[in-house]
Amino acid sequence: MKSILAPSILAADFANLEREITMLNESEADWIHVDVMDGVFVPNISMGLPVLEAVKRHAKKPLDVHLMIVNPEKFVEAFRRAGADILSVHLEACPHLHRNIQQIKSLGAKAGVAINPHTPVIDLENVIQNIDLVCMMSVNPGFGAQKFIENTYQKIRDLKELILAKKSSALIEIDGGVNEANARLLLEGGADVLVAGNLIFSSSDPKELIQRLKRL
Ligand code: DX5
Ligand code: ZN
């Protein structure tokens, strides 16, 4: 099934990041997913601009940057300059979401909107035509290796319906708790992009696992 696979380096070995990025370059992964957490929007702090710059120096694949931060308008320009190809902001962190999307597009990046598990898909109704990607959280953001929330399947159906109704070309990205048991079901249900952190980086042979996921 034609799909995009975006390994999340949140689960990578940060002391050997160059080695991890080289592995992804050599693999069949499509994008590299970078999780930025500020300790305010989510109860955890991960990585920021210097790490993205370092990743960019080695990465041969698009960088899909997931901003789990408040006031993203203050930082998107810097993240774009540091190498982000796709920038997703959280709907719940953006009272002026339409403006945030315009700003990202004006920087020449692809614009994504991430939604938390409790956020209804219909909240995207007035922006779905303006965006390239919906990052649908299938765990509560903040940590890797959490359990997949089953209600996500229904939300994918709702989102697919909204995308068709509005003639949007937005891709549906599923982020959190993706594993070998649910990956195929998610793609069959309408997902276009799968993010996977723990699954890939805890594997003894990540490249082979990536190949398996690409062949689902
Ligand atoms: C969670 C992050 C995810 C996370 C996914 O806040 O947005 O991208 O890295 O990790 P796994 O695949 O381990 O659930
Ligand atoms: Zn993410």
Side-chain angles (χ1 to χ4, degrees):
M1 194 173 281
K2 179 101 183 64
S3 62
I4 293 171
L5 184 63
S8 162
I9 56 166
L10 186 63
D13 177 356
F14 286 176
N16 289 290
L17 210 42
E18 183 178 351
R19 193 187 66 199
E20 303 279 52
I21 300 299
T22 302
M23 179 276 288
L24 294 177
N25 286 340
E26 291 168 355
S27 78
E28 291 180 37
D30 300 281
W31 298 348
I32 298 175
H33 186 84
V34 182
D35 287 305
V36 178
M37 304 179 185
D38 66 354
V40 180
F41 180 67
V42 286
N44 196 10
I45 297 176
S46 56
M47 63 192 105
L49 291 160
V51 175
L52 184 65
E53 276 165 20
V55 169
K56 186 70 178 181
R57 279 200 294 278
H58 301 287
K60 299 199 174 102
K61 310 206 168 176
L63 300 184
D64 171 33
V65 178
H66 177 191
L67 296 176
M68 286 162 272
I69 65 174
V70 296
N71 304 128
E73 65 282 356
K74 292 187 186 164
F75 297 101
V76 286
E77 195 174 340
F79 276 104
R80 173 67 176 149
R81 222 178 306 124
D85 297 284
I86 304 155
L87 275 163
S88 294
V89 294
H90 262 270
L91 180 148
E92 303 82 6
C94 295
H96 305 287
L97 183 60
H98 188 271
R99 181 182 288 151
N100 295 94
I101 294 164
Q102 285 179 314
Q103 185 191 15
I104 293 169
K105 288 183 144 180
S106 75
L107 297 166
K110 299 241 186 262
V113 173
I115 58 169
N116 280 340
H118 77 276
T119 300
V121 160
I122 198 66
D123 288 5
L124 293 164
E125 186 178 15
N126 295 318
V127 294
I128 195 73
Q129 282 156 309
N130 309 115
I131 60 181
D132 301 291
L133 179 83
V134 175
C135 176
M136 184 180 281
M137 295 307 301
S138 38
V139 297
N140 286 293
F143 304 93
Q146 299 183 81
K147 192 174 173 298
F148 179 82
I149 296 172
E150 297 289 323
N151 183 45
T152 307
Y153 293 113
Q154 181 58 49
K155 287 182 74 178
I156 296 175
R157 286 195 288 275
D158 294 346
L159 180 55
K160 199 83 202 168
E161 212 173 285
L162 180 67
I163 286 172
L164 289 172
K166 297 281 185 181
K167 299 188 171 49
S168 160
S169 54
L171 298 176
I172 302 176
E173 175 177 66
I174 303 301
D175 188 6
V178 171
N179 57 42
E180 284 199 85
N182 62 24
R184 198 189 162 86
L185 286 171
L186 290 166
L187 296 173
E188 284 172 353
D192 304 293
V193 186
L194 297 181
V195 174
N198 182 56
L199 176 67
I200 289 172
F201 287 97
S202 68
S203 158
S204 56
D205 191 345
K207 262 193 256 183
E208 198 258 341
L209 178 60
I210 289 169
Q211 189 181 67
R212 262 205 323 273
L213 291 168
K214 285 292 295 179
R215 298 222 182 334
L216 283 176

